[in-house]
Amino acid sequence: MKDKRYAGGITVYFAMIVLSVLMLFLAVLWLTMRYAEKNDCLRMTQTAGNAALGSYQEELADWYGLFGTDRRWLERRVQGFLRMNEKLPIGRIRQLPQYLLQPTNLWKGLFAYESEQVDAVTLHTLDEKDILLDQIDDFMGYHFVEEGMELLMGYLKDLQEAADGSSIEARYAGLQQLILEYGENYEKLVRCFYPERGAKVYITMTEQEKYRPSMLYSALQRLSGGGKTIWYPEIVEKVDWWRQNAGKLSQQNAEAARLLRIMSRQVVQIQDKMRDMDLYISNLSQEEQAGDRVKRIVEEIAGVKDKLWGLHGEIEPLMADVLRNEKLAEALTVPLEQVMTEYWLLRDLPDIVLQRALSAAEGFMDYKGDLKLEYARRKGASLWDLSELLRWIRKWKIDLHPYGEDEWIINDNSWVDELWADDSLEDALDAAREGGKSLLAQIYDKAALMEYGVGMFCNLQDQVQAEKGKIPVNLRHETFPATVFRNETEFLIHGSYNEYRNLKGVQYRILGIRLMMNLLHLLTDSEKQARIQTIAEGTGGLIVPGVGTGIAYGVIIIAWAAAESYVDYSILLQGGKVPIVKTADEWHTSLEKVLKKKAEEVMQDSEEAKGLDYETYLRILLLMTDRDTLLNRMQELIERNLRAGGAGGFSMDEMSVAYRIVTVISGRVGRYESAAIFRYE
């Protein structure tokens, strides 16, 4: 009895041990299956994400080194992946944990799962500026030349110092040019009043002149009497002279009024410029204000303020006088024409015609003939030739039409053209001065963007190289694809849908940089300074009060610097190089030739030349351009080029570069969800 009891206990004990082992085995198996299924869910997410990464836009990668996939294709890709794992019968949808068990028939049914859901959610696209900039930075990491960047930074340092150091001279040069143009109009006004020679009609008349307003009324009175007209020859001569010249006299006064209106606007501009100069000088340090250059400028501005005709209210009363004179002279034309008609027909003069003529002549006696203008004459070359010289220099242009059509590639009325007028070198100078002040700070943030803008987009220099038989290549040393614009980098800088306007916008920006640097050279070269001063002191012609040698000096130095700047641009266009800071040996133009309006024909051996080529100047202009503006324009160029190249539906805002993959599966022991973020790097 005792033995049977122990035997039963052993059986129960053994059964409990077996049951415990079996439960432990089942628990381990359950955990293993759960772990395997969860791992397979993660693996499925990785597989789906990597499959999507492999479907990038090939043209985008080949042409621009950027990666992304169309979000619509991305969704189709992951849905196709889901169908491959969902449409098969459940008995055939099995996966084995490769890290734990070998595939055998015994275990096939234990580790099966079914895919329920695979979704792709786009997180970022290439139309986001920071995302595009990150990809450009990654791309440029393989194409960056450290030595070239150090050299460029040296150039930028020189340019920034020039922008800071030449500011007062550049500002004053703009004021001098404006005063010169004002003086040119003053000379025209003087010649309206006091013609030097020829049978011109005088606005200002004196009692010593042969024909004057008071004599016309007396002559007409002698024609009246008794109904019988006696046509005295000397009277007819006077009346006919006034008939011929009354209209001209009216027009001369009208021209004087027109000039006065222009000069009135110029006076306002001059006053604004002088206020800006005063404010600028007041913000300089005491040490800078004590410098010889600043003291000279302050003295010359003070002289202009004190003596320049028109700054003290002279224009308004003179305008009123010439407008009144214009009306009085114009009132003579019809009555005198009627009088002479009667004479030619040999008829007596009707009283009504005579009375009209007498009435107009009587009013004409109020014509103000004592108008006076102050001016001086000085022997020597005429100062006003310098104004004509500036106009000639502005016309001294390189024809850019062969490199860019003056027509709109894309019609978009929302775009505002920023092209400066052809005579706005001052605007270009201001832009260069303002943009040059922060170049060194900009280069750290925009170095990759700058190099990408020059290296992956075609520009004018590529066309010039093609003309010489060279094949332009991008940063990958591959030829450029077919593009909508021929001058893409210029579009990045100027932003017009007109090729020619982009070229002109870049031309004026380069001219602004060169004008600033050439002015600095002329201001620091003692030999050239002496030549300029000698010519300024010998300037002659008709001089408006307040315009002295200092104004002529300023105009000469601007004219010479501008002429040199146009030559610099011509050299760049030929594929040559122009240094930021020139030495005396690197200066091309002769002041004597410039003053005689003889164009300089400069050819350069680009292989031996030192300095910056056209593309390096483009880099500087890209640094001066707002970062977001550059990225917007790059996005637009890429989008338009890919569409034109065959990717008809391409859109940057549909180009996914980062997305979230979500996977849901059902296994033997549970339902699992996993998510992961994938991006092109």
Side-chain angles (χ1 to χ4, degrees):
M1 190 72 180
K2 183 177 180 181
D3 294 336
K4 291 182 179 180
R5 186 180 60 193
Y6 283 125
I10 293 172
T11 302
V12 171
Y13 179 74
F14 180 76
M16 291 180 64
I17 291 175
V18 171
L19 181 61
S20 298
V21 171
L22 180 60
M23 290 179 66
L24 178 63
F25 173 77
L26 291 175
V28 171
L29 179 62
W30 184 87
L31 290 173
T32 301
M33 291 174 63
R34 182 175 178 83
Y35 182 77
E37 289 170 355
K38 186 175 182 180
N39 182 74
D40 284 339
C41 184
L42 294 173
R43 185 160 52 85
M44 184 176 179
T45 302
Q46 291 293 328
T47 304
N50 291 331
L53 281 176
S55 63
Y56 60 84
Q57 171 68 280
E58 292 185 6
E59 292 88 352
L60 180 66
D62 293 342
W63 292 6
Y64 297 105
L66 305 177
F67 288 88
T69 185
D70 191 301
R71 70 166 80 195
R72 294 161 294 190
W73 171 248
L74 173 64
E75 293 169 359
R76 289 196 296 269
R77 184 92 171 179
V78 296
Q79 291 304 316
F81 182 87
L82 176 62
R83 285 194 298 272
M84 291 177 63
N85 290 273
E86 184 181 46
K87 297 298 182 181
L88 297 176
I90 186 67
R92 296 175 56 190
I93 304 175
R94 291 178 171 85
Q95 295 286 340
L96 290 175
Q98 299 174 359
Y99 58 89
L100 184 63
L101 299 173
Q102 295 298 320
T104 64
N105 293 332
L106 178 64
W107 301 104
K108 278 185 178 180
L110 294 178
F111 297 97
Y113 65 81
E114 182 177 2
S115 303
E116 290 187 3
Q117 177 183 346
V118 180
D119 290 331
V121 180
T122 295
L123 301 178
H124 299 290
T125 59
L126 275 177
D127 71 325
E128 299 175 47
K129 297 180 181 62
D130 290 338
I131 299 299
L132 177 59
L133 188 58
D134 287 343
Q135 286 219 14
I136 290 174
D137 286 340
D138 292 341
F139 174 80
M140 290 306 302
Y142 300 98
H143 301 87
F144 212 70
V145 181
E146 194 69 31
E147 296 79 6
M149 186 55 57
E150 291 177 358
L151 187 62
L152 178 60
M153 288 184 68
Y155 295 142
L156 295 179
K157 183 179 180 181
D158 292 336
L159 186 59
Q160 183 165 313
E161 289 176 354
D164 294 333
S166 65
S167 290
I168 188 168
E169 292 288 353
R171 288 172 182 268
Y172 187 43
L175 175 60
Q176 290 168 317
Q177 183 177 343
L178 186 57
I179 293 173
L180 177 72
E181 293 169 355
Y182 177 79
E184 180 182 23
N185 286 323
Y186 188 85
E187 182 201 13
K188 293 177 181 178
L189 185 65
V190 168
R191 298 194 188 283
C192 278
F193 279 61
Y194 317 108
E196 293 181 345
R197 58 185 177 273
K200 295 184 179 179
V201 180
Y202 292 9
I203 289 180
T204 301
M205 299 182 180
T206 66
E207 290 299 318
Q208 287 74 37
E209 293 166 8
K210 180 178 180 181
Y211 300 100
R212 51 187 184 273
S214 59
M215 296 182 69
L216 174 61
Y217 185 75
S218 300
L220 287 172
Q221 280 186 321
R222 291 182 60 188
L223 289 178
S224 62
K228 181 73 174 175
T229 305
I230 302 174
W231 297 103
Y232 299 105
E234 66 275 12
I235 295 176
V236 171
E237 178 189 359
K238 288 183 173 63
V239 173
D240 191 42
W241 189 90
W242 280 108
R243 178 192 65 81
Q244 296 178 48
N245 291 284
K248 295 179 182 178
L249 184 60
S250 177
Q251 292 172 6
Q252 288 290 92
N253 279 278
E255 173 65 11
R258 185 189 70 83
L259 291 169
L260 286 169
R261 290 188 190 96
I262 295 173
M263 293 172 67
S264 180
R265 292 192 294 269
Q266 289 176 324
V267 163
V268 174
Q269 293 173 333
I270 291 171
Q271 290 172 330
D272 289 342
K273 286 277 187 183
M274 289 193 293
R275 278 193 292 269
D276 290 343
M277 287 294 300
D278 290 342
L279 179 61
Y280 181 82
I281 292 171
S282 67
N283 290 329
L284 296 176
S285 66
Q286 292 184 354
E287 182 180 355
E288 290 174 318
Q289 291 183 28
D292 291 339
R293 287 163 57 187
V294 176
K295 290 169 68 175
R296 173 181 59 81
I297 290 173
V298 169
E299 183 179 345
E300 290 177 3
I301 291 176
V304 171
K305 289 179 180 177
D306 182 49
K307 298 178 181 179
L308 185 63
W309 187 93
L311 293 185
H312 309 286
E314 297 93 340
I315 293 180
E316 289 75 11
L318 185 58
M319 172 76 80
D321 288 337
V322 296
L323 288 175
R324 188 164 184 271
N325 286 350
E326 176 192 358
K327 291 180 180 179
L328 293 174
E330 185 179 12
L332 285 176
T333 55
V334 174
L336 294 185
E337 188 71 36
Q338 291 174 341
V339 170
M340 291 307 299
T341 299
E342 299 298 329
Y343 167 73
W344 291 324
L345 296 174
L346 299 177
R347 297 192 307 208
D348 290 330
L349 191 61
D351 287 341
I352 188 171
V353 173
L354 179 59
Q355 291 305 317
R356 287 173 182 168
L358 283 169
S359 177
E362 184 178 10
F364 189 61
M365 291 175 66
D366 292 333
Y367 185 96
K368 192 161 185 178
D370 58 350
L371 303 179
K372 295 180 181 179
L373 288 175
E374 295 181 12
Y375 63 94
R377 291 191 179 279
R378 200 163 55 193
K379 293 183 179 180
S382 173
L383 175 64
W384 311 115
D385 289 343
L386 296 176
S387 182
E388 178 63 30
L389 173 64
L390 283 175
R391 284 195 294 273
W392 171 75
I393 289 173
R394 290 167 189 148
K395 294 178 181 177
W396 187 2
K397 304 170 187 173
I398 295 90
D399 185 12
L400 296 173
H401 286 94
Y403 304 103
E405 295 77 11
D406 191 7
E407 57 187 39
W408 297 96
I409 296 176
I410 301 162
N411 292 321
D412 186 352
N413 295 328
S414 65
W415 189 83
V416 178
D417 193 357
E418 299 174 352
L419 182 64
W420 295 307
D422 282 353
D423 60 350
S424 293
L425 283 177
E426 182 186 349
D427 291 340
L429 183 61
D430 286 340
R433 187 177 63 245
E434 291 301 318
K437 290 182 178 179
S438 58
L439 284 176
L440 288 176
Q442 296 264 11
I443 194 169
Y444 296 106
D445 296 330
K446 293 162 64 177
L449 194 60
M450 169 194 71
E451 287 295 327
Y452 190 81
V454 171
M456 296 302 289
F457 297 94
C458 54
N459 58 68
L460 173 59
Q461 192 64 52
D462 296 319
Q463 295 189 59
V464 174
Q465 293 298 321
E467 289 178 348
K468 296 180 179 180
K470 299 180 181 179
I471 300 176
V473 295
N474 60 20
L475 288 174
R476 290 176 157 180
H477 302 287
E478 299 172 352
T479 57
F480 288 97
T483 58
V484 175
F485 289 88
R486 287 197 281 163
N487 307 285
E488 294 184 304
T489 309
E490 287 81 357
F491 171 79
L492 295 178
I493 295 167
H494 189 66
S496 172
Y497 295 130
N498 182 303
E499 292 265 33
Y500 179 74
R501 288 173 179 264
N502 286 329
L503 292 176
K504 292 297 293 181
V506 168
Q507 179 195 37
Y508 268 87
R509 286 171 172 87
I510 293 176
L511 288 174
I513 293 174
R514 291 311 319 151
L515 185 57
M516 179 173 66
M517 302 309 298
N518 291 334
L519 275 172
L520 187 63
H521 174 86
L522 292 176
L523 291 167
T524 55
D525 188 307
S526 57
E527 181 180 346
K528 292 184 178 68
Q529 278 286 300
R531 291 163 67 188
I532 294 170
Q533 196 65 42
T534 299
I535 292 175
E537 291 173 354
T539 299
L542 192 152
I543 310 297
V544 60
V547 177
T549 301
I551 303 301
Y553 167 90
V555 174
I556 293 171
I557 199 171
I558 269 242
W560 198 2
E564 181 76 9
S565 300
Y566 274 101
V567 170
D568 291 342
Y569 182 77
S570 176
I571 291 172
L572 293 174
L573 200 63
Q574 297 170 31
K577 298 179 179 179
V578 177
I580 281 286
V581 180
K582 288 186 174 183
T583 64
D585 293 337
E586 292 168 329
W587 193 264
H588 298 291
T589 54
S590 158
L591 180 57
E592 287 71 20
K593 284 187 177 181
V594 171
L595 293 176
K596 293 178 181 178
K597 294 189 284 190
K598 292 184 178 180
E600 297 277 0
E601 295 293 336
V602 179
M603 299 297 291
Q604 187 187 67
D605 185 350
S606 59
E607 298 298 327
E608 298 181 1
K610 297 179 180 179
L612 285 65
D613 60 8
Y614 180 80
E615 288 192 343
T616 307
Y617 278 93
L618 289 182
R619 290 181 173 89
I620 294 173
L621 297 181
L622 287 170
L623 286 178
M624 292 181 179
T625 306
D626 176 70
R627 190 205 74 158
D628 287 352
T629 300
L630 282 180
L631 289 170
N632 281 335
R633 291 171 181 170
M634 283 183 181
Q635 289 170 337
E636 182 171 0
L637 284 179
I638 293 170
E639 197 169 86
R640 292 187 184 280
N641 287 340
L642 285 173
R643 287 177 181 175
F650 180 84
S651 176
M652 295 290 276
D653 60 0
E654 293 291 336
M655 198 55 47
S656 178
V657 297
Y659 44 87
R660 187 170 181 264
I661 298 292
V662 179
T663 303
V664 178
I665 69 171
S666 292
R668 294 297 188 188
V669 296
R671 187 171 182 270
Y672 308 93
E673 177 179 325
S674 71
I677 295 176
F678 298 84
R679 65 185 303 151
Y680 293 99
E681 294 179 326

